[in-house]
Amino acid sequence: MARDNDRKHRAVTTFQRRILNPVMRRIPFQTALETTGRTSGLPRRTPVGGRRVGDTFWLVSEYGEKSQYVRNIRANPRVRVRIGGRWHEGTAHVLPDDDPVARLRTLPRSNSAVVRLVGTGLLTVRVDLDG
């Protein structure tokens, strides 16, 4: 099972990094999370699905602690989120005690279905947006 999950993770992340993400990052209204690279210090933008609720943005990482953006958040929680074409600054929090499957039920269905389908280590992330 672990070997299958590793294979699935490698296949999906290769597709996302090389094909899907470069295209999605260019779509102005695609929701994106910008973290600071923990090694390079450079901005790293990742298309994400999620939902803004008041001054909070919620998302579920498909690969949890294996996700590069989760590792970047652990190193520096200051992030930006592009919602509806507009950037918002905030502080991200990784929430291992939150139920990511239940959280997905509150997020947009199309993204949630994909996260459930390809994900192997779901993890909730909350971004507290600045003012």
Side-chain angles (χ1 to χ4, degrees):
M1 181 76 166
R3 179 179 274 168
D4 289 341
N5 281 346
D6 286 343
R7 253 188 239 134
K8 182 179 182 180
H9 177 256
R10 279 194 309 274
V12 172
T13 56
T14 297
F15 172 75
Q16 288 174 331
R17 285 184 188 147
R18 295 199 175 147
I19 298 168
L20 187 63
N21 288 358
V23 171
M24 297 302 284
R25 278 192 293 261
R26 287 177 171 71
I27 299 172
F29 287 93
Q30 167 64 44
T31 303
L33 176 69
E34 183 180 87
T35 60
T36 301
R38 63 194 176 281
T39 303
S40 69
L42 298 173
R44 301 295 183 202
R45 291 183 180 170
T46 305
V48 295
R51 172 166 283 144
R52 182 177 182 164
V53 179
D55 287 334
T56 304
F57 182 80
W58 293 92
L59 68 119
V60 174
S61 168
E62 329 173 278
Y63 296 112
E65 297 291 342
K66 286 186 175 182
S67 294
Q68 296 302 316
Y69 68 83
V70 169
R71 292 176 179 185
N72 290 342
I73 288 168
R74 291 256 189 231
N76 179 356
R78 291 298 296 167
V79 300
R80 293 192 322 150
V81 182
R82 184 174 62 194
I83 306 166
R86 184 168 169 250
W87 286 100
H88 305 270
E89 293 187 8
T91 303
H93 305 275
V94 177
L95 304 175
D97 294 331
D98 191 67
D99 181 349
V101 174
R103 182 68 56 194
L104 281 170
R105 289 188 208 107
T106 70
L107 302 178
R109 284 185 182 173
S110 59
N111 177 261
S112 295
V114 172
V115 169
R116 277 193 298 273
L117 178 68
V118 301
T120 59
L122 305 181
L123 181 64
T124 302
V125 177
R126 183 188 79 225
V127 179
D128 296 330
L129 303 171
D130 298 344

